[in-house]
Amino acid sequence: MAPSGSGSKKARASQRNASDRVAQMRKEQQAKDKRRLVAIWGAAAVTIAIVVGAVVFAVAHDKANTPDLSAVKDYKYDAGAHVQTPVTYKETPPVGGEHNPVWLNCGVYDSAVPNENAVHALEHGAVWVTYKPDLPKADVDKLKDVLPSTYALLSPYEGLPSPVVASTWGHQIQLTGADDPRLEEFIKKYRQGPDTPEPGALCTNGTDGTDPSVSPSLTGGAPAAPSTGATPSTSPSSMPGATPSPSAS
């Protein structure tokens, strides 16, 4: 017959063994959870590193392939100087200064446009792309394709220093031709840019450059004519902050 205390000892030993097994299982589970967490965080870190690396590479690649605009010339002109007489400008074509109170409607023109009206359009944020009159038609068509549908002018210009010149208020770049990649980058950066005196002001409801009463420099020369099918930039009602007053600056 077993001693009276032997049963309780075996029970306590069994309980200790069970507790040890539970503790061991908990430790093993905690170790598994820790390894799993480390694996998850490791995978996340790798994913983040890949994404960041891809973004950095894309930014660096994009920057490396961005056309260089170091050839852009900058000028300083005060805005709002209205005159109703012809103006002699320092730059060819002009990029600012005195101008007619009526702006030139944005669009595509087949012949020369009055400087005084075009400069007023620049004051409103338009980009003015000019080209030598003898530029091949295929190249002119390329310029039309590049030209934005709003706040943009395209016209031939006598006496340009290069085949194509792009101008905004206070900024100008001489381009090698219609295929020069700097043209699109210039438009992107300077059209309605931070130096625009009156961003968002009308580029329609002005003049098409054929009225000598608002384009004094037309006197003695052939008036400018918009090309067939050319359309102004955008309807006045859709212009942010636009006011349909022909006397607006």
Side-chain angles (χ1 to χ4, degrees):
M1 187 174 196
S4 59
S6 62
S8 60
K9 289 182 180 179
K10 290 181 179 180
R12 287 195 295 270
S14 177
Q15 289 176 352
R16 284 196 298 271
N17 291 336
S19 297
D20 292 342
R21 286 196 298 271
V22 170
Q24 182 63 30
M25 291 174 63
R26 286 177 178 171
K27 289 181 180 179
E28 292 175 355
Q29 185 61 45
Q30 289 173 349
K32 288 181 181 179
D33 292 342
K34 185 175 181 179
R35 288 194 297 271
R36 185 181 299 111
L37 186 61
V38 170
I40 292 173
W41 279 108
V46 171
T47 302
I48 292 172
I50 292 174
V51 172
V52 171
V55 171
V56 171
F57 175 80
V59 171
H61 183 268
D62 183 65
K63 185 175 181 180
N65 288 276
T66 298
D68 181 16
L69 294 181
S70 61
V72 172
K73 296 180 180 179
D74 301 320
Y75 305 88
K76 179 64 177 178
Y77 285 105
D78 294 329
H82 292 174
V83 296
Q84 295 182 332
T85 56
V87 179
T88 299
Y89 291 100
K90 296 179 181 179
E91 293 78 40
T92 304
V95 296
E98 295 181 338
H99 52 274
N100 192 271
V102 181
W103 56 89
L104 185 70
N105 293 332
C106 288
V108 175
Y109 292 82
D110 290 330
S111 56
V113 297
N115 283 333
E116 296 82 4
N117 304 112
V119 170
H120 197 154
L122 298 185
E123 188 181 44
H124 290 187
V127 58
W128 186 12
V129 180
T130 49
Y131 57 90
K132 288 186 174 181
D134 61 354
L135 193 71
K137 181 181 181 301
D139 289 342
V140 176
D141 290 340
K142 290 179 182 178
L143 293 176
K144 292 178 182 179
D145 290 339
V146 172
L147 205 70
S149 61
T150 62
Y151 290 104
L153 297 166
L154 177 65
S155 70
Y157 201 100
E158 291 282 355
L160 287 182
S162 63
V164 178
V165 176
S167 308
T168 59
W169 186 274
H171 305 284
Q172 188 173 86
I173 187 169
Q174 298 177 13
L175 304 168
T176 58
D179 292 324
D180 195 319
R182 295 174 296 172
L183 175 57
E184 289 189 70
E185 191 66 21
F186 179 88
I187 293 173
K188 179 181 177 181
K189 181 174 181 178
Y190 293 105
R191 170 176 161 268
Q192 289 287 307
D195 294 330
T196 300
E198 300 173 15
L202 288 177
C203 207
T204 57
N205 288 7
T207 178
D208 63 1
T210 62
D211 184 357
S213 67
V214 296
S215 303
S217 60
L218 290 177
T219 304
S227 62
T228 303
T231 56
S233 66
T234 307
S235 61
S237 61
S238 64
M239 295 290 189
T243 53
S245 170
S247 62
S249 60

